[in-house]
Amino acid sequence: MYIRTEEDEIMVTISMEIQILFAALLFLIGLIGFLVRRNIIFMLMSIEIMLNSAALVFVIAGAHWLQADGQVMFIFILTVSAAEVSVGLALILQMYHHFKTLDADALRKLRDSRENEDIPQ
Amino acid sequence: MNTIFYIAAATALLSSILAITNRNAIHALLYLIISLLSISVIFYILGAHLIAALEVIVYAGAIMVLFIFVVMMLNIGMEEESEKKWLTPGMWIVPAILASVLLVIFIYVLKAFEYEQAATEIIGPKQVGVSLFTTYLLAVEIAGILLMAGIVGGYHLGKQKKKVMHRFMVKDGERK
Amino acid sequence: MRILIPLIPAIPLLSFLIIALAGRFISKKAVGAIGTGSVIFSALITIAAGLYFLSSAGEGAVTSSVYSWINTGGFSAGISFLLDPLSLVFCFVITFVGALIHLYSIEFMRDDDGFRRFFAYMNLFVGSMLILVLADNLLLLYLGWEGVGLCSYLLIGFWYKEPENGYAARKAFIVTRIGDTAMILGLFLLLISFGTLNIQDLMQQASGRWAAGSPLAVISAVLLLGGALGKSAQLPLQTWLPDAMAGPSPVSALIHAATMVTAGVYLITRTHVLFTLAPVVMTAIAVIGAITLLIAGFSALAQHDLKRVLAYSTISQIGYMFLAMGIGAWSAAVFHFMIHAFFKALLFLSAGAVIHLLHHEHDMFRMGGLHKKMPLIFYTFLTGAASLSALPLITAGFYSKDQILWFGWTSASSSHWLWLAGITGALLTSLYTFRMVFITFYGELKTEPHEKAGALMTVPLIILAILSAAGGFIELPENFGPVHLFSRLFETVLPSVAIEEGSSELIFQIVSAVITLGGIYLAYLLFFRNSPIVKRIRGTRLSDFFYSGWGFDWLYNFLFVKPVVWFSEVDRKDFIDAVYTSIARMTGYFNVLISRSQNGKLRWYVLFLTAGITVLLVVILSL
């Protein structure tokens, strides 16, 4: 068992660039996932990845400046994420009831209505 | 400490990639949970012990479980056929190009600044709590209202419309 | 008297309104009475004003302003009239001859359905023409100018049910429109240079500011000349007048013989100060007059239609007037105008009577032997023809034409070639005139006249015959005992012509008398005796060339009409307009294209979002 003593210090000597770069990579993975997947559950999942990576950046910054603000921001992001996920999943349930499919491309009612397709002569 | 960081980072990235490329929803969610746990490890070694715990409890433990519940309720596993149809290899090109351009931009921005050392001490729960309830009190209250909105919205949106049939109506609201 | 002057044009215009609005409800007789009565009334007022004007000789010109029409930005033009000797003479001719012609038309048009319409148009014409000659400023003059052009169109195409009449009317309007455009450009130039269009002010300022021969003076004179050429049917805009004979004969008499075609003469004489500032233009006027009178004379020799001979004769006689103006003999030109109005109206009216009584037969070669059947018309026609040919001593035409020819030889700014052209024209005139007389009234009777002419038609003929014979006695040449009633009238208004001394007028009078009589004798030989030379000439290419008016119609058709028609065929789908609609079509096309990107798919929107963010970041970071 590891008992922490006063002399223990957290010494992560990796430069902040690498850490933020890692967070950026996570964000990009989430972005790619969002753009590629058609299933709406996966899109929501990708959003979670992106949110998580953004929160990671906050924590990295807070640890750098030795303040609690970064962690506080993380808590707020967490709150937001939770609320958003619950509402989003409820909407997904409604969508499944109406459209009988989880295809994100099925939600197209807000498209351009194609009324004035004829080109003026 | 550095090696732990690298290992955790690699795990997070790998499991995220596996999560978004998976065809089975449940498997993808499970990979995502692994990714979240790795990030929690990173939080820990950065000295943010509180939120490392919170990440596991709330994010991985509550939000992801919510996802899994919904997936199970919708019986998605049976739709692997459509997943195969939707996830053609050709779809990866444009997002990949876009993401790589963004990556280049991020690297360029990061390189332009000079950063010093990273974490040197633990910032404990007590500090965070004090900060929450003094400096960021208002934000906490707002976050509470937000959660309440989430609850109410979730309840309403999750409701199924009851089919109320008036005795003179035939179906779907048509009058006889 | 100031009040009287605006009444002169106002009364015919008023009667036009009455006939146009209420003519349907009143009888033909009443319409005829109103129409003719208004012109007679104007004639009486003109005579009264003239007598008053002549008696108070010291007063000079009288201006009468009715209404301030435009008054803005330093430019003002009012409806104001100027009565001076020049406008008095023109008013007299217009109202007097006009009244006689209206009287004639009551009987001539009696059986026509458009009787009321006819009188409305005729009154409108008389009113516009009076406005033209009485106008104080060039803008009001242009108003009258356009008015007479409109009435000419309406009256040429009076029998609109025949398409050819409509084409003739359209041709007249378009050709004169070319002249009108030149004139309005001239008006603009004058306005820009002097800031006013008041004729008296213009003439004063022009002679003050522009030196003789200065380019602006030349250009504005040329432009005004263009307008005059169009209205007076001179070269190159003379092609409309022969076709304008499609209208009724009173119309030809009033508009295309006596009044409208002399509007050009009036314009140039009225603005003579401007023209004297541009000597090269004066030479051009004289040369155009000379050439036109020759061309028209030759063309008249080859015509079959009775009225077309008279039309070409009109063009030729106005050529004489232009010739006179070009050499500076202004009062001689106005004198010839007045006499010409008398005999040409007479000729047209009697020709109209002949045509009318022969069931609308126009071709001379189908008439003949009429001098016994309709003696009164024959003698009046003969009087007019004699006056036209300038039969010596007893006709007014002799005195007016002889004056022009005399000045043609002796004037300082004239050359002997012009006199030669004039004398050749005189020979041609007597030749074609008496050809017309002999073919129409002598020989064997080919068409029988079906009734006698009534008093309303014959009385005007008689009056005009008397005037054609005796009207010249107010201006006798030097060696006849100088009687200069007419030219003395114009002393205050028009400059007199500068003469080189050294020639005897008697010789020239004898020469022109010999030419005239020789022409008549030649016509007698060729046409009275039905000489075989005539049969050989008719049908040759030269004869056809003259018949077609020296091919001007063909030339204009080739140069102007055909290219425009070809282009309108090519442009059938209006490809020039397509350039403009293509902008609209492009916009619509791109609208359709871009709106395809709003396809309602969430992932597409996020894709565009990230692409936009990427571009934005690149732009920001590169700055």
Side-chain angles (χ1 to χ4, degrees):
Chain A
M1 201 160 86
Y2 180 72
I3 297 178
R4 198 178 59 88
T5 60
E6 292 268 340
E7 291 86 30
D8 285 326
E9 291 175 359
I10 307 295
M11 279 299 293
V12 176
T13 56
I14 305 176
S15 66
M16 225 166 110
E17 292 147 14
I18 306 286
Q19 295 174 354
I20 297 184
L21 189 64
F22 157 67
L25 276 171
L26 260 185
F27 180 85
L28 289 175
I29 289 173
L31 181 64
I32 295 181
F34 186 91
L35 292 175
V36 168
R37 302 302 303 246
R38 225 160 125 170
N39 195 334
I40 203 146
I41 304 271
F42 284 91
M43 287 164 110
L44 218 54
M45 221 165 38
S46 315
I47 293 177
E48 291 309 309
I49 302 175
M50 288 196 269
L51 273 172
N52 203 5
S53 74
L56 178 57
V57 174
F58 268 110
V59 173
I60 294 170
H64 172 242
W65 293 108
L66 299 175
Q67 288 181 351
D69 293 348
Q71 303 189 22
V72 166
M73 262 329 288
F74 177 84
I75 291 180
F76 290 140
I77 291 179
L78 197 60
T79 311
V80 164
S81 168
E84 164 236 330
V85 163
S86 46
V87 172
L89 286 172
L91 284 171
I92 290 176
L93 283 177
Q94 282 292 337
M95 173 186 156
Y96 190 72
H97 261 284
H98 277 280
F99 291 94
K100 306 286 182 267
T101 174
L102 284 174
D103 187 358
D105 287 348
L107 305 169
R108 273 193 289 178
K109 280 277 172 93
L110 281 181
R111 68 176 299 163
D112 185 42
S113 62
R114 284 213 193 169
E115 272 173 357
N116 298 327
E117 279 282 285
D118 47 336
I119 302 165
Q121 291 305 316
Chain B
M1 284 302 170
N2 288 355
T3 48
I4 298 181
F5 178 84
Y6 284 126
I7 296 170
T11 316
L13 286 173
L14 189 62
S15 56
S16 298
I17 293 175
L18 285 170
I20 63 171
T21 57
N22 210 312
R23 279 196 230 118
N24 193 337
I26 302 284
H27 293 181
L29 286 165
L30 292 175
Y31 278 124
L32 191 55
I33 292 179
I34 296 174
S35 165
L36 293 173
L37 292 175
S38 324
I39 292 179
S40 166
V41 167
I42 296 178
F43 284 157
Y44 188 86
I45 61 177
L46 281 180
H49 293 216
L50 170 65
I51 57 173
L54 274 181
E55 172 96 356
V56 176
I57 299 171
V58 176
Y59 227 121
I63 296 177
M64 287 301 134
V65 171
L66 186 57
F67 258 104
I68 294 177
F69 282 165
V70 168
V71 168
M72 288 200 292
M73 194 156 55
L74 293 179
N75 254 336
I76 301 188
M78 312 271 255
E79 297 181 30
E80 273 204 38
E81 285 300 316
S82 52
E83 283 295 340
K84 226 189 288 189
K85 198 176 39 172
W86 290 345
L87 199 57
T88 57
M91 305 229 342
W92 292 89
I93 301 177
V94 174
I97 295 171
L98 213 54
S100 36
V101 171
L102 269 175
L103 184 62
V104 168
I105 294 175
F106 285 157
I107 295 175
Y108 171 77
V109 168
L110 287 172
K111 283 279 184 257
F113 294 94
E114 287 185 8
Y115 299 100
E116 300 157 10
Q117 281 282 6
T120 50
E121 70 180 44
I122 302 172
I123 301 173
K126 182 170 173 192
Q127 252 182 305
V128 176
V130 165
S131 175
L132 264 181
F133 284 100
T134 52
T135 323
Y136 293 104
L137 184 57
L138 195 57
V140 170
E141 301 300 326
I142 294 175
I145 295 176
L146 181 65
L147 284 171
M148 187 179 74
I151 291 173
V152 172
Y155 160 72
H156 260 286
L157 291 169
K159 212 163 42 165
Q160 311 289 339
K161 270 243 163 56
K162 265 199 297 186
K163 293 218 165 56
V164 178
M165 302 287 284
H166 195 275
R167 50 199 172 102
F168 292 123
M169 289 187 192
V170 179
K171 70 165 179 187
D172 286 334
E174 288 174 12
R175 280 191 169 268
K176 205 194 254 195
Chain C
M1 185 176 62
R2 241 170 252 261
I3 310 176
L4 284 181
I5 299 175
L7 283 181
I8 300 178
I11 294 180
L13 288 175
L14 182 65
S15 93
F16 155 70
L17 276 177
I18 294 175
I19 299 177
L21 295 174
R24 219 179 315 163
F25 310 112
I26 52 184
S27 72
K28 272 192 187 176
K29 264 202 208 157
V31 166
I34 294 176
T36 314
S38 63
V39 185
I40 293 178
F41 201 51
S42 278
L44 291 173
I45 298 181
T46 310
I47 294 175
L51 288 174
Y52 186 86
F53 182 80
L54 289 172
S55 65
S56 60
E59 204 180 308
V62 178
T63 336
S64 167
S65 184
V66 173
Y67 179 65
S68 168
W69 181 16
I70 300 177
N71 192 352
T72 160
F75 168 61
S76 72
I79 301 189
S80 53
F81 302 108
L82 172 71
L83 188 71
D84 68 353
L86 180 62
S87 52
L88 184 63
V89 167
F90 270 80
C91 275
F92 168 69
V93 170
I94 296 168
T95 51
F96 194 71
V97 176
L100 290 173
I101 294 177
H102 276 75
L103 207 58
Y104 175 94
S105 353
I106 294 180
E107 182 168 337
F108 188 81
M109 302 291 288
R110 188 176 43 202
D111 299 320
D112 198 300
D113 286 332
F115 187 85
R116 296 172 177 89
R117 187 161 53 103
F118 185 79
F119 272 90
Y121 289 160
M122 291 285 270
N123 277 3
L124 180 63
F125 171 80
V126 172
S128 306
M129 190 72 201
L130 287 169
I131 289 180
L132 198 159
V133 299
L134 282 172
D136 183 19
N137 53 58
L138 286 174
L139 194 60
L140 191 62
L141 191 149
Y142 192 68
L143 176 76
W145 191 273
E146 291 294 313
V148 299
L150 170 71
C151 293
S152 167
Y153 169 80
L154 291 172
L155 285 165
I156 294 175
F158 184 71
W159 291 313
Y160 56 86
K161 299 209 170 96
E162 299 286 325
E164 292 94 38
N165 299 345
Y167 292 147
R170 200 173 66 186
K171 179 174 177 181
F173 196 79
I174 292 177
V175 175
T176 51
R177 174 54 74 203
I178 298 174
D180 295 344
T181 312
M183 182 171 166
I184 197 84
L185 287 176
L187 291 188
F188 287 154
L189 186 59
L190 289 171
L191 181 60
I192 293 175
S193 308
F194 297 113
T196 173
L197 283 179
N198 187 309
I199 298 181
Q200 310 292 80
D201 293 341
L202 264 182
M203 296 302 118
Q204 255 182 336
Q205 291 190 28
S207 55
R209 266 211 268 153
W210 281 347
S214 72
L216 276 180
V218 171
I219 293 176
S220 50
V222 166
L223 289 172
L224 287 181
L225 176 65
L229 290 180
K231 266 294 187 295
S232 295
Q234 298 295 291
L235 220 70
L237 296 172
Q238 88 284 14
T239 51
W240 63 272
L241 192 52
D243 288 339
M245 296 301 116
S249 299
V251 170
S252 310
L254 184 60
I255 299 185
H256 305 127
T259 44
M260 185 182 97
V261 292
T262 55
V265 177
Y266 174 77
L267 177 68
I268 297 181
T269 314
R270 179 55 92 195
T271 54
H272 68 271
V273 172
L274 188 63
F275 283 91
T276 49
L277 284 176
V280 63
V281 182
M282 295 278 277
T283 318
I285 294 179
V287 170
I288 288 177
I291 298 179
T292 309
L293 71 91
L294 286 175
I295 288 182
F298 279 115
S299 303
L301 271 180
Q303 299 298 318
H304 302 162
D305 188 337
L306 184 60
K307 284 175 68 176
R308 275 180 92 100
V309 178
L310 294 174
Y312 279 109
S313 167
T314 306
I315 299 176
S316 181
Q317 295 302 309
I318 299 180
Y320 271 102
M321 294 181 217
F322 268 65
L323 178 64
M325 289 194 297
I327 59 179
W330 304 100
S331 61
V334 179
F335 186 47
H336 192 61
F337 148 73
M338 188 172 84
I339 305 297
H340 170 261
F342 294 147
F343 63 67
K344 199 40 78 62
L346 169 63
L347 281 170
F348 267 110
L349 289 183
S350 35
V354 168
I355 292 173
H356 187 70
L357 295 179
L358 289 182
H359 311 276
H360 291 280
E361 175 63 64
H362 279 247
D363 191 339
M364 280 194 298
F365 291 98
R366 284 197 267 224
M367 307 176 190
L370 293 172
H371 72 279
K372 293 214 184 62
K373 290 285 178 175
M374 35 176 87
L376 186 72
I377 298 176
F378 169 63
Y379 283 115
T380 49
F381 194 93
L382 191 61
T383 318
S387 200
L388 173 57
S389 319
L391 202 63
L393 294 178
I394 55 168
T395 58
F398 170 71
Y399 294 107
S400 63
K401 193 182 287 188
D402 178 73
Q403 198 177 45
I404 296 179
L405 289 175
W406 166 242
F407 286 138
W409 183 267
T410 60
S411 163
S413 50
S414 165
S415 89
H416 297 318
W417 291 106
L418 291 175
W419 174 84
L420 195 61
I423 203 78
T424 315
L427 176 63
L428 286 172
T429 304
S430 50
L431 190 58
Y432 67 68
T433 309
F434 276 88
R435 166 181 180 260
M436 184 171 57
V437 169
F438 290 138
I439 293 178
T440 310
F441 289 100
Y442 285 89
E444 37 173 288
L445 185 70
K446 296 200 183 73
T447 317
E448 186 79 30
H450 73 277
E451 63 182 30
K452 288 263 182 232
L456 281 178
M457 277 167 77
T458 50
V459 167
L461 292 177
I462 297 174
I463 298 180
L464 285 172
I466 296 174
L467 280 173
S468 306
F473 293 132
I474 59 175
E475 179 80 11
L476 294 177
E478 288 290 335
N479 48 1
F480 281 30
V483 178
H484 286 303
L485 287 174
F486 196 78
S487 45
R488 195 128 19 104
L489 188 65
F490 286 99
E491 266 171 2
T492 53
V493 187
L494 297 171
S496 35
V497 54
I499 309 183
E500 292 167 350
E501 296 299 327
S503 310
S504 159
E505 193 167 352
L506 187 61
I507 298 184
F508 284 91
Q509 289 167 345
I510 295 178
V511 168
S512 46
V514 164
I515 294 280
T516 304
L517 292 170
I520 297 176
Y521 185 61
L522 196 58
Y524 172 78
L525 283 179
L526 288 175
F527 300 107
F528 190 77
R529 299 287 188 83
N530 280 329
S531 147
I533 304 177
V534 173
K535 287 207 180 51
R536 272 207 301 168
I537 292 179
R538 203 183 322 159
T540 59
R541 293 257 290 272
L542 193 65
S543 165
D544 287 338
F545 182 60
F546 288 157
Y547 178 74
S548 70
W550 290 53
F552 270 92
D553 279 334
W554 174 88
L555 183 69
Y556 290 155
N557 197 29
F558 180 73
L559 280 181
F560 301 117
V561 177
K562 281 219 164 66
V564 173
V565 171
W566 170 82
F567 184 68
S568 70
E569 289 278 321
V570 165
D571 196 30
R572 197 162 263 243
K573 291 236 177 74
D574 204 357
F575 60 82
I576 294 179
D577 210 27
V579 172
Y580 301 107
T581 55
S582 73
I583 297 177
R585 285 178 62 225
M586 273 295 139
T587 314
Y589 180 70
F590 278 117
N591 171 34
V592 169
L593 204 62
I594 294 178
S595 68
R596 298 261 167 93
S597 72
Q598 191 181 355
N599 55 4
K601 294 187 195 170
L602 185 61
R603 294 180 304 130
W604 280 77
Y605 292 173
V606 175
L607 186 68
F608 287 127
L609 204 77
T610 43
I613 293 174
T614 315
V615 168
L616 209 60
L617 280 174
V618 168
V619 166
I620 291 177
L621 288 176
S622 65
L623 287 175

